[in-house]
Amino acid sequence: MVAGTVAANIGLRTTGVRAAGLPGLPARYSQRIDVPGRLADEGNTRNWHYLDTAEALTEAGVEPVGTVLAVHGNPTWSYLWRSLVTQSVEQAREGGTAWRVVAVDQIEMGWSERTELTRTLEQRIADLAAFTETLGLTGPVVTLGHDWGGVISLGWATEHPDVLIGSMLLNTAVHHPDGTPIPAPLRLAGARGMLGAGSVQTTAFLDTTLALAAPPLASEVRDAYRSPYSAPARRRGIGAFVADIPATPEHVSFPRLERLAADVAELRVPALMLWGPRDPIFSDRYLDDLADRLPHAQVHRFAGAGHLVIEDAPVAESLLSWLDEHLPQGRATTAVTADAPAADADFEPLWRRLDERRADDADAIVEQRGSGSTRRVSWRQLDDRVTRLAAGLHRIGVRRGDRVSLLVTPGATLTAVIYACLRIGAVVVVADAGLGVRGLSQAVRGAWPAYVIGETKGLAAARALGWPGVKISAARLPGATAAALGVSHSLKDLLDESAAPALPSEPGPEDLAAILYTSGSTGPAKGVRYSHAQLSSLRDVLSAHFGITAESGLVTGFAPFALLGPALGARSSTPEMDISAPRTLTARAVAAAVAEADADIVFLSPAAILNVVATAGELDDADRRALQGVRTVLSTGAPVSRQLLTALVGVLPNASAHAVYGMTECLLVSDITLDTMPGDDSEHTGVCVGTPIGGVDVRISPLDAAGRATGELTQDADCLGEVIISAAHLKSQYDRLWLTDRAAVRDVTEDGRWHRTGDVGHLDTDGRLWIEGRLPHVITTQDGPVAPVGPEQAIETVPLVRRAAVVGVGPDGLRQCVAIVETTPGSKRVRLADAALAAAVRAASPQPLVAVFVVPELPTDIRHNSKIDRTRLSEWADRVLAGERLSAP
């Protein structure tokens, strides 16, 4: 018999009833206490149900360092926190830090008493204070809340600063923006005629909330959540909670919520926010507001999780990990302060070269247009445009720290907008259109920009998909079009020519400058945070290593470098291409851009190089003369082979060819030239990406038998492991992905902050780095871990093989290798390799192969068009070899 049946038999007070026989929640943690009422409840005594781990910790012989005070929302109850309750005790028993967990059932909810009193937000905060006083909770205390329990927990926190040492939040809100309706599900639940019917008379509101879990809750867990709400009289609190949502200033709880929102911004204790972004109620809008009020908080968005984030994601483990890191022994590890960091006298912001050339009429940007025409922008014009846009953005409300999402193709307009934003301290959010609509939407929603500046196509997507932010069009639109797209301003509107532009003070070196999204080729796209100092350090490394001066001309066919020309003080040109699809770049387009900009340095991605080489036959004599003036060509974005660089030098005959290794997290790690690349007879496997540049420190963490990078950092030669790096221009952290960032930081030592790249490889005796694949693609065989690139390179020596991927199938530790190849000429269908080809591939491979497949095209990422999706291929090969029909991977 579950406790709900017992409660139905003894009435609404439920004195003495405990939550017993529920999955995941031992009855021993269930407790009851009588608490004197306060405010409107003065003179009454109310019976509370709560979960408490104190007795279990005492029995285990451990003393807690503090208490986690957990408050549920509507329509859940303390059962929500069962995983934290049990895991915290298990951790303490195993010798870890002991935290007492107290999880309440609010009055009218769960197994606590039902009353006739209408409970407002003010009353509920007072109720909780009365509970903790009666319980004798003296601190130190970390509050934890979900849904409206988050609001109430923060109310308690702000009123108890003497015992508060931290605050943890799951999907909640303390402020709703003016002029915006509350979320549709809450409007429906609170509508006249629906409030009682949906929340009290039926279980509709309860059932809808429980249905938000992803994956769906087990039936016994759903029943446990429902157990205290078995009859309408026991669901009155659910309806009362909905009715107490302060949707308008006239609501009785509105003033208390406003005061609470202001008080939260004054909290200086460590804070954590764990969020389920697929929440139709507490969306990222509310996370963004809380992040503004608690800028020191760690934040993690669990992709795919929703409103019941603790049911959807490993929240309990994350809470305990955060407590261990930030509040060990019940004390904060670092002070939380609102003071600005000291100024760096040597810091030169990204726009300093632009300032220095503001009176120069020479070309700064040469833009190749689709019509074959060329647009030229001088340094004087660019500086004027940047300054006036910066003033205009500030005039309409853009402030330091505001996020501005940019949906504009690279060129003069985007360049001016970026430098205008940086100048006033706004944070530019840049996500590659190559992510596709879904990926781009996830990126924009994750960053939750205050403003979106875009071209018509981007603004149409923003409107259709409900992206946040004030919309600003790159071009002035007809009134009807602007209204349809929700556009409030155009860039033309911001260019006030009538007066000298007034600019705010410059941002500091440690202020956040940009969030650049990864390509998504190695997992979900992640926002990478860069400070102004880190971007300036990147500029300085690029300038010094490649000898870029004011006389240099750059052609940038790779998006991340397409906007650094003004920062380097060099003129720049973006060739005619689809910047989000590098393989659309042709040799003639490069030649045209070089000629127009008198460029001597060219940046290209490996995919762009492939097509430039493939289309070199279309060059005429004038094109070839222009390309002879290029002194340096850089391949950036992914490792590139000696053969491909050799072919590129055939197109740019006087250029020194460089292959630059880096990633969005650290765009410049190492460099190698074609002249110094090892030959095919090298004893090393993998792609040699050269030696570190710009003060980058590279170490290797050796792999264990399970393919995990667990070894101590080393620079020993010929040791296969994960590549770990440290640099001044390394990213600050991932945006709102605390757990991801935590996993990526190998260590923080006196030598620097060490980032796990996820690439595997080794160093040779000359200190050169060789990349052999990605850590998730390592194949754990019975003979040890195998990196895929070495076998792939060997297979690609077979004359009929154009490109190869080697992946694993079978159980971990006993995986077998499979080769999947593209052929020359290409195959029109997926098939097993014929006997002759299979024999040749097996003979070339240093690893035994259980199968060889031929495919028309290997799946790759969009941005680089070169990073093979080995995870997808491995899963496909596993299914096919298990008997599934042969189909495209």
Side-chain angles (χ1 to χ4, degrees):
M1 178 185 294
V2 298
T5 305
V6 176
N9 292 332
I10 67 170
L12 300 180
R13 187 169 173 84
T14 62
T15 304
V17 174
R18 296 188 177 198
L22 301 180
L25 181 60
R28 63 175 304 173
Y29 298 118
S30 181
Q31 304 293 332
R32 306 201 70 86
I33 190 171
D34 287 326
V35 178
R38 291 187 178 177
L39 299 183
D41 217 10
E42 187 80 33
N44 296 308
T45 298
R46 301 304 186 188
N47 187 256
W48 289 62
H49 174 260
Y50 64 104
L51 305 179
D52 194 346
T53 63
E55 290 182 5
L57 295 177
T58 299
E59 290 176 8
V62 294
E63 184 71 22
V65 299
T67 299
V68 175
L69 177 61
V71 188
H72 67 87
N74 187 33
T76 58
W77 55 287
S78 58
Y79 185 70
L80 180 78
W81 307 112
R82 67 193 182 282
S83 56
L84 178 63
V85 166
T86 56
Q87 289 182 39
S88 65
V89 172
E90 182 180 351
Q91 173 177 283
R93 286 172 177 161
E94 293 177 352
T97 305
W99 287 89
R100 179 186 181 186
V101 177
V102 174
V104 300
D105 284 5
Q106 299 190 62
I107 294 295
E108 322 287 357
M109 304 294 288
W111 295 110
S112 287
E113 184 176 344
R114 272 46 173 180
T115 75
E116 298 300 323
L117 182 67
T118 299
R119 306 193 106 74
T120 62
L121 175 59
E122 182 84 36
Q123 181 66 53
R124 289 190 178 279
I125 295 172
D127 289 344
L128 185 60
F131 169 85
T132 57
E133 182 177 318
T134 304
L135 191 64
L137 205 58
T138 57
V141 175
V142 180
T143 57
L144 169 62
H146 171 253
D147 189 89
W148 286 103
V151 182
I152 293 159
S153 74
L154 287 170
W156 187 96
T158 57
E159 292 181 354
H160 294 78
D162 52 329
V163 297
L164 182 74
I165 61 168
S167 182
M168 304 186 293
L169 299 167
L170 316 180
N171 291 54
T172 188
V174 296
H175 175 73
H176 187 77
D178 297 338
T180 303
I182 63 172
L186 294 182
R187 292 202 305 274
L188 177 62
R192 180 176 297 178
M194 284 296 296
L195 179 59
S199 303
V200 179
Q201 297 305 318
T202 71
T203 59
F205 186 84
L206 174 61
D207 294 341
T208 299
T209 302
L210 297 179
L212 295 176
L217 298 174
S219 59
E220 60 270 22
V221 172
R222 288 197 307 272
D223 290 343
Y225 271 116
R226 292 188 183 112
S227 60
Y229 304 116
S230 56
R234 296 198 56 78
R235 293 193 291 268
R236 286 202 303 263
I238 297 177
F241 244 128
V242 174
D244 193 45
I245 296 171
T248 66
E250 295 74 30
H251 193 282
V252 64
S253 288
F254 188 86
R256 183 65 183 93
L257 185 63
E258 287 289 283
R259 189 168 85 250
L260 172 61
D263 291 344
V264 168
E266 300 302 318
L267 286 176
R268 293 291 178 266
V269 295
L272 172 68
M273 289 179 267
L274 302 180
W275 215 262
R278 295 181 62 183
D279 188 341
I281 302 164
F282 295 107
S283 67
D284 282 295
R285 176 195 306 280
Y286 302 106
L287 172 61
D288 189 65
D289 174 75
L290 281 164
D292 285 344
R293 296 174 193 276
L294 298 169
H296 59 279
Q298 279 72 43
V299 179
H300 189 86
R301 298 170 72 253
F302 288 101
H307 180 69
L308 294 175
V309 60
I310 195 169
E311 299 288 355
D312 299 346
V315 166
E317 302 95 301
S318 304
L319 295 172
L320 292 170
S321 295
W322 183 84
L323 289 169
D324 271 350
E325 290 181 15
H326 296 273
L327 294 168
Q329 304 308 311
R331 294 186 297 273
T333 53
T334 56
V336 176
T337 175
D339 297 337
D344 182 352
D346 297 328
F347 168 67
E348 286 193 351
L350 213 60
W351 57 88
R352 188 62 74 227
R353 305 289 183 272
L354 181 57
D355 287 349
E356 293 169 354
R357 301 191 69 171
R358 60 166 46 111
D360 192 341
D361 288 318
D363 289 341
I365 298 174
V366 181
E367 183 177 335
Q368 304 299 120
R369 297 186 165 183
S371 60
S373 62
T374 301
R375 177 189 183 189
R376 296 179 180 275
V377 180
S378 70
W379 290 99
R380 185 193 301 271
Q381 291 170 324
L382 181 60
D383 177 76
D384 179 73
R385 181 59 58 92
V386 167
T387 303
R388 293 188 181 279
L389 278 177
L393 288 167
H394 193 259
R395 188 174 63 251
I396 66 170
V398 182
R399 295 293 182 264
R400 182 175 300 185
D402 284 350
R403 299 180 175 205
V404 183
S405 180
L406 305 178
L407 305 175
V408 182
T409 54
T413 298
L414 179 59
T415 301
V417 169
I418 284 181
Y419 284 86
C421 289
L422 294 175
R423 173 60 187 80
I424 62 175
V427 180
V428 296
V429 178
V430 181
D432 198 326
L435 291 174
V437 173
R438 182 179 178 184
L440 194 58
S441 186
Q442 289 175 342
V444 173
R445 285 188 167 278
W448 202 266
Y451 297 85
V452 175
I453 301 176
E455 294 163 342
T456 304
K457 184 178 179 180
L459 293 172
R463 181 69 166 185
L465 298 170
W467 293 349
V470 175
K471 307 303 187 294
I472 302 171
S473 61
R476 182 171 285 166
L477 302 175
T481 303
L485 296 178
V487 170
S488 302
H489 311 276
S490 73
L491 294 181
K492 186 73 172 175
D493 299 334
L494 306 184
L495 295 172
D496 184 358
E497 309 285 349
S498 62
L503 297 179
S505 61
E506 294 184 351
E510 300 308 316
D511 286 336
L512 182 61
I515 299 172
L516 310 180
Y517 273 82
T518 62
S519 67
S521 60
T522 56
K526 300 179 287 289
V528 177
R529 294 165 61 106
Y530 275 95
S531 68
H532 283 271
Q534 288 158 340
L535 288 182
S536 293
S537 178
L538 174 66
R539 171 203 61 200
D540 296 342
V541 172
L542 193 63
S543 176
H545 186 74
F546 295 105
I548 300 174
T549 69
E551 303 306 314
S552 300
L554 314 178
V555 168
T556 50
F558 183 55
F561 291 102
L563 305 159
L564 282 174
L568 294 161
R571 67 185 171 278
S572 59
S573 175
T574 301
E576 182 183 341
M577 64 180 294
D578 180 351
I579 198 71
S580 67
R583 58 183 166 190
T584 61
L585 181 63
T586 65
R588 294 211 68 185
V590 173
V594 167
E596 290 292 345
D598 190 21
D600 57 345
I601 302 176
V602 176
F603 293 81
L604 300 172
S605 73
I609 293 173
L610 278 170
N611 204 50
V612 166
V613 170
T615 57
E618 300 171 6
L619 296 169
D620 60 24
D621 290 343
D623 294 331
R624 294 187 184 280
R625 283 194 299 273
L627 294 176
Q628 287 174 359
V630 176
R631 67 174 174 86
T632 304
V633 60
L634 293 85
S635 171
T636 55
V640 64
S641 69
R642 179 185 182 88
Q643 292 79 4
L644 187 56
L645 274 191
T646 300
L648 180 61
V649 170
V651 183
L652 305 167
N654 297 323
S656 172
H658 293 252
V660 178
Y661 167 66
M663 63 282 303
T664 309
E665 294 85 345
C666 189
L667 289 166
L668 300 172
V669 174
S670 65
D671 175 40
I672 191 170
T673 63
L674 176 60
D675 295 340
T676 60
M677 274 189 171
D680 293 335
D681 57 350
S682 171
E683 61 184 10
H684 294 276
T685 60
V687 176
C688 184
V689 295
T691 54
I693 62 175
V696 175
D697 198 348
V698 175
R699 308 283 175 93
I700 300 296
S701 175
L703 302 182
D704 61 19
R708 298 170 301 189
T710 56
E712 292 297 319
L713 300 187
T714 181
Q715 290 183 312
D716 292 347
D718 302 321
C719 179
L720 178 65
E722 184 179 11
V723 178
I724 314 292
I725 61 172
S726 180
H729 54 281
L730 174 67
K731 55 93 174 169
S732 298
Q733 61 191 78
Y734 292 117
D735 188 51
R736 298 178 180 176
L737 289 170
W738 166 66
L739 289 168
T740 305
D741 200 63
R742 180 172 173 264
V745 176
R746 170 59 189 255
D747 204 355
V748 178
T749 68
E750 293 180 358
D751 298 328
R753 182 168 45 92
W754 294 92
H755 172 71
R756 301 181 58 177
T757 67
D759 287 337
V760 291
H762 68 277
L763 295 166
D764 63 20
T765 54
D766 296 320
R768 297 176 302 184
L769 177 62
W770 295 72
I771 299 299
E772 300 183 62
R774 293 285 297 168
L775 188 61
H777 302 157
V778 169
I779 304 165
T780 54
T781 72
Q782 63 180 354
D783 298 320
V786 173
V789 171
E792 289 168 357
Q793 289 176 320
I795 291 169
E796 286 168 356
T797 64
V798 175
L800 292 178
V801 174
R802 177 179 178 271
R803 192 163 55 160
V806 172
V807 299
V809 295
D812 289 338
L814 297 172
R815 291 177 77 77
Q816 304 290 313
C817 294
V818 170
I820 306 165
V821 302
E822 295 175 6
T823 57
T824 302
S827 174
K828 294 182 179 180
R829 61 184 179 85
V830 178
R831 58 183 174 84
L832 280 168
D834 59 55
L837 177 59
V841 168
R842 285 190 166 95
S845 173
Q847 295 293 326
L849 300 173
V850 296
V852 179
F853 292 99
V854 176
V855 297
E857 186 175 30
L858 292 168
T860 60
D861 68 296
I862 297 174
R863 179 187 290 180
H864 307 288
N865 297 133
S866 59
K867 295 182 179 179
I868 297 171
D869 191 343
R870 296 187 185 91
T871 300
R872 176 175 163 186
L873 287 171
S874 175
E875 293 169 351
W876 170 81
D878 245 331
R879 295 194 305 269
V880 170
L881 292 175
E884 188 175 287
R885 184 176 63 86
L886 197 62
S887 59

